[in-house]
């Protein structure tokens, strides 16, 4: 797939190493969840942007899950996350130096109890959406709404999938205007980093206002 061409409103950033971070400025450490439905691209996103070798709990799909985990549209998928993925991203050149701890959640609804544990101490979440299987996004969206954790929705641009405008997906998922809806390629580290920065800004506004209403950018994450 050719490299995506960022539009002026894309949140993509360019990751550059910073060998000389500001002296005496300790980074702000934030915990972020990467959530979404089965096969939405969570493991790929964490792996694309992590500066360390990601911790992954991928296991092979077996016949035992055939009646539980639908592979419609994901026929080539062979593994799934059974606990969580973990990665780390440092952004020393951000307006405030950041160190992001990324936790990718398992996608199936039966792991919701684990989502509660992973959400402890998190500043916010990215909900990855596969528009070919939009129905799998309702559970994570409802989950973060219920626990009042700031989140952004990121439309993962799969090869060959129809490109929907973010506002069409906002309407389909019944999202308030306060929730940022962006599009991205989960294989592209710059795009993933841009989505993470969009979340950090959204979470900061959410915290400062004490509620989830804030202005939402509409701009432009790939299979786990």
């Amino acid at each position: 797939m050719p490299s995506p061409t960022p539009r002026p409103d894309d949140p993509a950033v360019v990751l550059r190493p910073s060998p000389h971070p500001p002296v005496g400025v300790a980074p702000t450490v934030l915990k972020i969840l990467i959530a979404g439905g089965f096969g939405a691209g969570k493991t790929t996103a964490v792996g694309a942007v992590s500066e360390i070798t990601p911790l992954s709990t991928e296991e092979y799909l077996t016949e035992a899950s055939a009646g539980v985990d639908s592979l419609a549209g994901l026929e080539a998928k062979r593994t799934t996350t059974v606990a969580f993925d973990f990665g780390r991203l440092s952004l020393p050149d951000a307006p405030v130096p950041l160190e992001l701890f990324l936790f990718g959640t398992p996608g199936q609804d039966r792991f919701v109890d684990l989502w509660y544990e992973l959400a402890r101490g998190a500043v916010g979440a990215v909900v990855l959406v596969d528009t070919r299987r939009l129905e799998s996004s309702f559970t994570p969206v409802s989950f973060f709404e219920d626990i009042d954790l700031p989140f952004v929705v990121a439309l993962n641009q799969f090869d060959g999938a129809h490109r929907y405008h973010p506002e069409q997906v906002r309407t389909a998922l019944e999202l308030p205007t306060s929730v940022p809806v962006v599009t991205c390629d989960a294989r592209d580290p710059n795009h993933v980093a841009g989505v993470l920065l969009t979340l950090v800004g959204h979470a900061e506004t959410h915290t400062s206002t004490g509620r989830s209403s804030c202005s939402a950018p509409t701009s432009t994450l790939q299979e786990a």
Side-chain angles (χ1 to χ4, degrees):
M1 175 182 179
S3 298
T5 302
R7 302 193 305 262
D9 58 353
D10 283 346
V13 298
V14 177
L15 300 182
R16 297 186 178 91
S18 180
H20 304 294
V23 177
V25 178
T28 298
V29 178
L30 301 176
K31 177 181 180 181
I32 291 175
L33 299 191
I34 308 294
F38 178 57
K42 302 173 294 296
T43 299
T44 298
V46 173
V49 80
S50 179
E51 64 196 14
I52 62 172
T53 301
L55 169 65
S56 180
T57 57
E58 290 274 285
E59 295 291 344
Y60 283 100
L61 293 166
T62 65
E63 292 184 3
S65 68
V68 179
D69 300 325
S70 171
L71 291 176
L74 300 172
E75 287 77 8
K77 187 171 175 61
R78 295 290 178 266
T79 62
T80 186
T81 299
V82 296
F84 61 87
D85 301 312
F86 174 76
R88 185 186 70 202
L89 174 63
S90 297
L91 296 171
D93 294 328
V96 175
L98 298 173
E99 187 168 356
L100 307 181
F101 289 172
L102 311 175
F103 289 80
T105 70
Q108 296 90 327
D109 291 0
R110 62 181 181 276
F111 291 113
V112 166
D113 287 346
L114 178 58
W115 298 358
Y116 282 103
E117 296 301 319
L118 292 174
R120 293 181 183 274
V123 69
V126 172
V127 177
L128 273 172
V129 169
D130 178 354
T131 57
R132 303 168 303 174
R133 297 156 57 92
L134 191 62
E135 68 283 353
S136 67
S137 304
F138 283 96
T139 297
V141 165
S142 296
F143 175 81
F144 294 120
E145 288 178 336
D146 289 345
I147 67 172
D148 195 29
L149 187 70
F151 68 96
V152 303
V153 168
L155 314 183
N156 193 6
Q157 303 284 43
F158 284 87
D159 294 340
H162 181 76
R163 300 297 193 250
Y164 292 94
H165 191 278
E167 290 305 314
Q168 292 178 289
V169 177
R170 180 190 303 281
T171 299
L173 293 176
E174 300 180 346
L175 296 170
T177 57
S178 59
V179 176
V181 180
V182 300
T183 66
C184 195
D185 185 332
R187 301 167 297 187
D188 187 315
N190 294 322
H191 277 218
V192 178
V195 173
L196 294 172
L197 286 176
T198 297
L199 171 63
V200 171
H202 176 56
E204 182 180 22
T205 302
H206 181 280
T207 301
S208 64
T209 60
R211 54 192 175 86
S212 60
S213 61
C214 65
S215 59
T218 297
S219 45
T220 101
L221 240 213
Q222 192 87 324
E223 180 174 338

